[in-house]
Amino acid sequence: MITLLFLAAVLATALTCAYFKTRVIVWTAAVGAVLLAFTVAGQPGWVALTIAWLLFAVVAVPMNPLPWRRQFLTRPVLKAFAKMTPQISETERVALEAGTVGFEGELFSGRPRWQRLIKKPLHELTMEEQTFLDGPVEQLCDMIDEWEISHYRADLPEDVWDHLKKHGFLGMIIPKEYGGLGFSAVAHRAVLEKVAGMSSTLGSVIAVPNSLGPAELLLHYGTKQQKDHYLPRLADGREVPCFGLTSTTAGSDATSIADYGVVCKGEWRGKETLGIRLNFEKRYITLAPVATVVGLAFRLYDPDSLLGETEDIGITLALLPRETPGMEIGRRHFPLNNPFPNGPIVGKDVFIPIDYLLGGTEYAGQGWRMLVESLSVGRAISLPSSSTGGAKTAALATGAYARIRKQFNMPIGRFEGVEEALARIAGYTYAMSALSRQTASAVDDGEKPSVPGAIAKYWATELSREVLKDAMDVHGGKGIILGPKNYLGRGWQGAPIWITVEGANILTRSMMIFGQGAIRCHPYVLKELEALQISDPQEQLETFDRVLFSHVGHSISCAVRSMVLGVSAGRFAAVPGDRRTRKYYRKLSRYSASFALLADIAMLTYGGKLKQKEKISARLGDALSQLYICSAMLRRFEQEGRPAADQPILAWAFHDAIHRTQNALAGVIDNYPFPWLRPFLRLVVFPIGRAERTPNDRLGHKVAALMLSPSETRDRLTRGVYKSDRTGHPIGVMETLLPKVIAAEPIERKLLKAQRAGQVQGHTYEEQVAQARAQNLLTEQEAELLLDVRKRSLEVVAVDDFDHAELQSGLTPTGDAARAEHREAA
């Protein structure tokens, strides 16, 4: 018994030190004190004590004397580490340095400091920004007819283009000193959410100039002359920008593009001028068909040393006016029936003067850095915000439609199969909204959120596709019949576009999220790599020793925390929150430790080859993403004052995300290359098994019910959506009708009861209501309400039909008459 007590005391002391990540000297002193106490007591016997002291000495003696430790432990590890670590290329180094580290770094630490997250307020709209949303943005949405845009015009109407330019939509990120709106990232997000929910075509037109485009690049790198010339013209719409990055063989990988330019002398406007002769073939360039100024990425060569001694200067950016001789621009791609302006740009032997280089010759060869620094901001806002706007609109519409549309004398939203879809729509929309808001707020905090931006781009577009799929399923035939009455079809058609652009999602998931985060966000890996670059051997050894043993302590601490928090359901974690949310923070603290441990083990196991192990990287990226999304949801819940009515949606979304986290970590363990180590990893990460479950049916029922009735919760979920009930906007019409539909339901039940009793026997609904009124089964007001609701409900569920000639004329020059007829009908 004494022996067991002895072992328990030593183990508890060691684990406690590891759990709290104490320094080596503190661990040594604590364990030594326990051994000394038992030795003084003479228990549990000299044999056991001798073995214990010998084991303690084997560990403690080499770890504490710094000169000895550095010479005999750290130096061999340093040599091995230098051999197994591949040299970081200039391209990778630039990408790593481009972003900043936010709360995702806390998740890599294994012990997130939650108070730092929830006490930092999310940015809100200014009064000026809110006025813009309530005024010009609302007016813009009033002007939109997506069917006319997508079916007849394949472009925006001229009055919409004029409105965009007049009110500065294309220059929201341009500072006021240049005539722009100077809006925050959260305002940029709010505009895109509202507009993209109405029209993905219009959303794309607004998003591109305000994300990865000449304006963003000019603000950071342009010469004074370039800024003074272009920024005011971009702000008021005199110039429409596009940016040509994607080439035929290299996709969006700027480091591999075949487009090139050669520094030379040539004739420009009648004079011999130092310039560049370009050859390029770009495709998928949004706004290219209508752009007046083209940003271009290419590799620059200087064979005659006209700029310096370097021949291969590297990736370089330039600004070309549309009328540049030799540039072919104007043709269009047609991406999945979404007619946003998108097309190729081609040039052969195009000569431009040297002052067309963005930023001048000073930034020649710096294009990759310029792109990745700008892209991290644009990716964090444009697609996440647009996707969230589409999901919010689909959630609003589907909830209303599922209450209005009836089958078997009950709303289809009451069927359990439909409830499942409604719960997913609500949960995913809540998660996406929290994610996009947190990421946009990080931009307003001055961060360049490269890893959160990749998380937001991937998960917002993926979840949006799931929301639209469920919305289409609930709407059934209403969703698949295109026409003016269809508000989902074009969004569903376009969902794969947002999956593909700005870094295809397969690439983003398998290479970017964890691939960048593993080095950039880890508390020690980047410091270890930086230590390898130190030229002084002694300084390098001392620095590496300090970082190495901090890293070892970090890994041991994460392993202990993972197991302890797994066994205790996270009860030992110091977390904020109230009775409803504390359990969520505990789960996140537990899985943060598990994730950090497995990330370390993966990096130790695969070393520099980890970036080729894309499936492992993807699963670790999934775990990191879900932890980040959960933190965003909890932060949102806290910022909104912990509304009790929102609890079911938060709970559904959280359990779904934490179940994904569990599966991702389990997938890493199940595919670990050393089978003999898998049981140990399972014991540490899942000490009581895989206990997380998907949201249960009861919770899903509560969430679905919130989607079917007007409430503050439903308003918060769909905040920022365009809800006008003007003619031609069915979603707003449904919202106006919904309270009347709900008010009519008890009266409908009264009428149904009369039918079943044989008191009412009319063939049509109108006859049945008339008979019930004649027998005083219904009051005059009840009868009028039923007839009004019936008529308007049938208008809601109605679909379009066309003459064959009208369908043939949609995208042909003969379509003018059809367009006129459509406008008159609208």
Side-chain angles (χ1 to χ4, degrees), residues 61-72 74 541 545 549:
V61 171
M63 298 282 282
N64 283 283
L66 289 182
W68 196 96
R69 185 178 81 184
R70 290 168 180 165
Q71 183 65 31
F72 295 102
T74 306
L541 181 64
D545 174 82
F549 281 92

Side-chain angles (χ1 to χ4, degrees), residues 78-244:
L78 175 59
K79 291 180 180 179
F81 183 70
K83 289 181 180 179
M84 70 179 287
T85 303
Q87 189 71 26
I88 297 180
S89 67
E90 179 65 16
T91 298
E92 292 174 315
R93 187 180 63 80
V94 168
L96 288 172
E97 293 176 354
T100 57
V101 179
F103 189 74
E104 67 278 10
E106 295 284 327
L107 299 173
F108 265 94
S109 74
R111 45 193 310 129
R113 292 169 289 185
W114 296 111
Q115 292 290 354
R116 296 185 65 177
L117 176 73
I118 62 178
K119 285 189 175 181
K120 191 174 188 179
L122 291 164
H123 288 264
E124 301 285 353
L125 297 175
T126 65
M127 185 176 297
E128 179 188 9
E129 292 166 345
Q130 186 62 58
T131 300
F132 185 79
L133 277 171
D134 296 338
V137 178
E138 187 78 8
Q139 295 161 12
L140 178 63
C141 292
D142 289 341
M143 300 166 71
I144 292 302
D145 183 334
E146 182 68 352
W147 179 246
E148 180 183 356
I149 291 170
S150 64
H151 186 67
Y152 293 117
R153 289 183 172 274
D155 199 354
L156 300 178
E158 284 302 316
D159 58 343
V160 173
W161 277 111
D162 292 342
H163 187 85
L164 292 176
K165 295 174 182 179
K166 176 182 177 181
H167 294 283
F169 280 85
L170 307 184
M172 290 190 293
I173 65 170
I174 297 175
K176 292 182 179 180
E177 63 187 280
Y178 294 105
L181 297 179
F183 278 176
S184 64
V186 294
H188 182 181
R189 166 186 177 266
V191 171
L192 287 179
E193 274 192 355
K194 191 164 191 172
V195 172
M198 277 290 294
S199 168
S200 58
T201 301
L202 181 57
S204 299
V205 168
I206 295 173
V208 168
N210 291 291
S211 58
L212 178 60
E216 179 81 15
L217 293 164
L218 281 166
L219 285 170
H220 290 94
Y221 312 107
T223 64
K224 185 179 187 304
Q225 182 180 3
Q226 289 171 339
K227 291 179 180 180
D228 291 342
H229 173 75
Y230 278 115
L231 289 177
R233 299 170 66 85
L234 290 169
D236 62 19
R238 282 176 291 168
E239 301 279 10
V240 177
C242 73
F243 192 86

